[in-house]
């Protein structure tokens, strides 16, 4: 926990000299919250470099932090189409288990788009040369696409996760948190923590399916990570090396459960700032 504590000090004003931080974000609503953290770190004297694709929804050049862009092999239309399909499935309100199968397929397709971004980073000789020569102190990333964790392992950097949640409850499994199936509902059940007997049976079945679900969902991502790191890696191998988990929600709104000391509930904004109400 000494490493985790040293990184967390970076977020406390007046207790550390400015460090050099590499940020590997995800696009969309994920970036809206992370950007606020990046700006706050800049205000506290840290040097921040944000690594973004040339084509994105929300991520543009900032006034105070350095932006490094890398080329990608898709268009903005491809990105829009992928998200439209993802949103359509989420709003279809299908019954169980069709909702699980449909969400799995569309999520895997969307993940493939973000995985292509990661491939493009490592294909860019210019970007990789810059990253290897820049002497960063730590890496901040959204872990969903695995790219930031892979890059941190490749560069031998301590890394911090900044996130809202993870498929298959990996944000609890990787830090080795207990997750009792009797009252902690799984992602696709849409149950509350007050479950009937049959809902608990459903919860247990979903937990078993997740073993197959997440391995299949991240199969291509893990192949890429293994290729880059030149060793076989599993999901937990890749994720449990995070020094700190900054969880972008409030503990009091979640189901009661034990968490590890390096898991910090920070709240956060999960959408674009609203416009002022008319008079």
């Amino acid at each position: 926990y000494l490493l985790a504590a040293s990184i967390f000090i970076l977020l406390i004003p007046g207790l550390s000299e400015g460090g050099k931080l590499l940020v590997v974000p995800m696009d969309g609503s994920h970036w809206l919250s992370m950007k606020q953290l990046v700006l706050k770190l800049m205000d506290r004297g840290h040097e921040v470099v944000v690594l973004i694709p040339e084509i994105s929804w929300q991520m543009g050049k900032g006034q105070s932090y350095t932006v490094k862009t890398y080329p990608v092999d898709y268009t903005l239309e491809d990105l829009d189409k992928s998200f439209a399909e993802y949103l359509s499935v989420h709003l279809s309100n299908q019954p169980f288990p069709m909702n699980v199968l449909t969400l799995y397929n569309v999520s895997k397709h969307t993940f493939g788009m973000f995985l292509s971004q990661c491939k493009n980073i490592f294909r860019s000789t210019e970007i990789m040369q810059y990253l290897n020569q820049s002497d960063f102190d730590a890496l901040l990333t959204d872990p969903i696409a695995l790219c930031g964790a892979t890059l941190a392992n490749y560069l031998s950097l301590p890394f911090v996760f900044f996130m809202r949640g993870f498929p298959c409850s990996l944000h609890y499994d990787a830090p080795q948190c207990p997750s009792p199936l009797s009252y902690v509902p799984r992602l696709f059940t849409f149950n509350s923590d007050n479950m009937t007997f049959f809902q608990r049976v459903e919860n247990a079945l979903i937990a078993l399916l997740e073993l197959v679900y997440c391995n299949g969902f991240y199969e291509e991502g893990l192949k890429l990570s293994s290729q880059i790191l030149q060793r076989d890696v599993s999901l937990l191998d890749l994720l449990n090396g995070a020094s700190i988990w900054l969880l972008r929600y409030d503990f009091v709104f979640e189901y009661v459960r034990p968490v590890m000391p390096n898991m910090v509930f920070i709240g956060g904004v999960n959408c674009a700032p609203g416009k002022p109400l008319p008079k």
Side-chain angles (χ1 to χ4, degrees), residues 139-172:
L139 185 148
L140 172 69
T141 187
D142 189 304
I144 297 297
L146 303 184
C147 192
T150 302
L151 189 57
N153 277 274
Y154 178 82
L155 298 173
S156 299
L157 291 175
F159 55 105
V160 176
F161 283 156
F162 180 85
M163 58 184 295
R164 175 59 183 87
F166 227 131
C168 309
S169 298
L170 285 169
H171 51 305
Y172 291 112

Side-chain angles (χ1 to χ4, degrees), residues 105-138:
N105 289 327
V106 74
S107 298
K108 192 171 182 179
H109 174 71
T110 304
F111 175 74
M113 182 71 69
F114 293 114
L115 181 61
S116 70
Q117 293 180 354
C118 197
K119 293 178 180 177
N120 288 316
I121 291 175
F122 285 95
R123 286 172 183 163
S124 174
T125 305
E126 180 183 350
I127 287 294
M128 293 309 299
Q129 183 177 4
Y130 168 80
L131 295 177
N132 278 296
Q133 295 176 353
S134 294
D135 296 325
F136 291 102
D137 296 308

Side-chain angles (χ1 to χ4, degrees), residues 43-107:
D43 289 342
R44 295 179 179 179
H46 303 296
E47 180 182 354
V48 180
V49 177
V50 182
L51 187 63
I52 67 173
E54 288 181 343
I55 296 174
S56 68
W57 289 309
Q58 305 282 353
M59 299 182 290
K61 293 185 177 180
Q63 296 180 350
S64 53
Y65 51 84
T66 302
V67 171
K68 296 295 292 185
T69 59
Y70 56 91
V72 292
D73 53 5
Y74 57 83
T75 65
L76 183 60
E77 289 73 22
D78 294 330
L79 205 58
D80 289 340
K81 182 180 179 182
S82 176
F83 179 73
E85 293 173 352
Y86 181 81
L87 181 62
S88 175
V89 168
H90 272 73
L91 297 177
S92 62
N93 197 28
Q94 299 182 62
F96 177 84
M98 288 303 299
N99 62 328
V100 177
L101 297 174
T102 310
L103 285 172
Y104 172 81
N105 289 327
V106 74
S107 298

Side-chain angles (χ1 to χ4, degrees), residues 181-193:
L181 294 174
S182 58
Y183 67 90
V184 179
R186 309 307 278 190
L187 179 62
F188 289 122
T189 62
F190 304 106
N191 294 326
S192 72
D193 56 337

